[in-house]
Amino acid sequence: MVHSREESMSNSSSAVKMMHAVHYDAYGGELKHVEVSIPTPKKNEVLLRLEAISINPVDWKIQNGLLRPLIPRKFPYIPCGDVAGEVVEVGSLVKNFRVGDKVIAKLTLKYGGGLAEFAVATERLTVARPSQVSAAEAAGIPVAALTAHDAFTQIAGLKLDGTGTGQHKNILITAASGGVGSYAVQLAKLAGNTHVTATCGARNIDLVKSLGADEVLDYKTPQGATLRSPSGRKYDVVIHCTIGIPWSTFDPVLTKTGVVVDLTPGVATFISSSMKKLFFPKKKLVQFILDIKGEGMEHLAQLVNDGKLKTIIDSKFPLSKAEDAWAKSIDGHATGKIIVEP
């Protein structure tokens, strides 16, 4: 561990600057607690002292080889990319940030770096953190909140500022108590003139209702398994946040032009999507791939600051217990976001 942050970050110190981090050194490798050098920001980067890190399912899927051999770019690899912290050093070309600024950042998947005390982030994927937004709330935004936001705005055609009231939308959100789903319920209601049906486990029904869902189904019940709206509605948009539900389940509950946005696409989704274009040309199964942009993170952070959007936090772990947070994410039953705090 670094005994003195001030001494560690001092330009006058000749000692090697070290930090505590968690990495793995092969696909399928175990998480290891290590001391490594504090990274040095490049010209267009900022160095952050991290205050909160959010674990996403993609993080442990990469560990298991999901994007082999492209990501990680090299081993050992410090996972996680959704972070919030304080700027402690800026590259020579950085214009928008100064030492001391509180920020939210998305680190690149290629190089990772989040499960640590310090990390470098590009200026392009770093945004200011509003004063009323805690580090833990902010760390959930880059992947989870932005995925829900972009699925609605880019594919479903919703306007999330309440101006899209001309056309009513019936929306289904699966796994609505999870990281993405909990944001999706809230954002769907921000669009205005929407009716939201959501699925989740029985223990989270009251929570999902409190986020704004009009109807909530226990996914383990017969009605929940068929995704049928209690009020008989058919869905214009489905934000699909889980796995294992076939097209044959979605088809009868969609409108003639209904769209299923699959947030966990795989080979099966690609094949199904191609088949739908042949046999169900008006209904769509769309594979969603997130393209992180700073403007989206800024908008969402402002919604949190204004009290219009909440980050649901399942649990917090110190960096020394990162493997426990990792295991909880893999278990797949977290309510909202799992946060690690250095």
Side-chain angles (χ1 to χ4, degrees):
M1 297 291 291
V2 180
H3 296 291
S4 170
R5 291 288 176 267
E6 291 75 13
E7 180 181 355
S8 177
M9 296 307 300
S10 171
N11 289 330
S12 61
S13 175
S14 59
V16 175
K17 302 170 186 176
M18 303 295 288
M19 68 175 182
H20 179 206
V22 178
H23 75 203
Y24 55 88
D25 51 21
Y27 291 114
E30 294 182 357
L31 296 182
K32 298 178 181 178
H33 292 264
V34 294
E35 279 201 344
V36 297
S37 299
I38 293 175
T40 301
K42 297 177 182 177
K43 293 180 179 180
N44 65 335
E45 293 178 334
V46 292
L47 175 64
L48 307 179
R49 178 185 287 116
L50 300 184
E51 298 171 7
I53 305 113
S54 171
I55 296 177
N56 294 301
V58 70
D59 296 319
W60 48 264
K61 290 178 181 179
I62 288 173
Q63 179 192 29
N64 291 338
L66 173 69
L67 299 177
R68 181 196 306 243
L70 300 176
I71 297 174
R73 182 59 60 90
K74 64 178 182 179
F75 291 108
Y77 179 74
I78 300 173
C80 297
D82 289 17
V83 301
E86 179 180 340
V87 176
V88 294
E89 187 177 342
V90 298
S92 60
L93 297 181
V94 172
K95 299 179 180 179
N96 297 319
F97 299 101
R98 297 181 298 177
V99 171
D101 286 348
K102 298 289 187 176
V103 299
I104 309 164
K106 177 69 179 77
L107 313 182
T108 64
L109 284 179
K110 287 182 182 179
Y111 301 106
L115 275 186
E117 293 178 301
F118 295 85
V120 290
T122 63
E123 182 178 26
R124 182 177 65 86
L125 294 181
T126 302
V127 301
R129 189 172 97 220
S131 59
Q132 300 302 310
V133 180
S134 71
E137 291 173 315
I141 289 174
V143 165
L146 198 55
T147 293
H149 176 279
D150 287 5
F152 281 132
T153 58
Q154 296 180 13
I155 298 177
L158 268 65
K159 295 182 179 180
L160 302 182
D161 56 3
T163 63
T165 56
Q167 183 180 7
H168 181 84
K169 294 280 189 180
N170 292 320
I171 298 170
L172 170 66
I173 299 166
T174 64
S177 59
V180 176
S182 58
Y183 284 120
V185 171
Q186 298 174 77
L187 291 171
K189 297 308 292 184
L190 283 178
N193 205 19
T194 56
H195 184 280
V196 175
T197 303
T199 71
C200 65
R203 67 186 175 91
N204 289 319
I205 287 176
D206 288 342
L207 168 67
V208 174
K209 285 181 178 178
S210 75
L211 296 178
D214 299 287
E215 302 173 327
V216 185
L217 303 174
D218 176 353
Y219 76 95
K220 290 186 177 181
T221 64
Q223 188 177 34
T226 59
L227 305 177
R228 294 186 182 278
S229 164
S231 57
R233 288 171 167 82
K234 292 199 172 184
Y235 309 114
D236 302 293
V237 179
V238 177
I239 302 299
H240 184 33
C241 306
T242 186
I243 58 175
I245 300 177
W247 174 259
S248 59
T249 301
F250 289 120
D251 182 32
V253 297
L254 294 175
T255 62
K256 292 181 179 179
T257 56
V259 178
V260 177
V261 185
D262 191 346
L263 304 185
T264 58
V267 175
T269 303
F270 177 78
I271 295 172
S272 295
S273 179
S274 300
M275 295 299 289
K276 300 310 158 289
K277 291 177 182 178
L278 291 174
F279 299 106
F280 302 91
K282 292 184 178 180
K283 296 180 180 180
K284 295 180 181 179
L285 174 62
V286 179
Q287 300 179 81
F288 179 80
I289 305 296
L290 179 64
D291 180 16
I292 300 282
K293 293 184 179 179
E295 313 91 83
M297 290 195 292
E298 285 180 334
H299 177 220
L300 290 160
Q302 192 58 51
L303 289 177
V304 175
N305 188 70
D306 295 343
K308 296 179 179 179
L309 183 68
K310 294 189 293 186
T311 296
I312 304 302
I313 297 175
D314 176 277
S315 48
K316 297 179 181 179
F317 296 81
L319 187 60
S320 61
K321 299 291 185 180
E323 63 273 22
D324 294 338
W326 198 259
K328 187 161 192 177
S329 179
I330 293 173
D331 182 58
H333 295 289
T335 301
K337 299 299 299 175
I338 298 170
I339 302 296
V340 176
E341 298 177 319

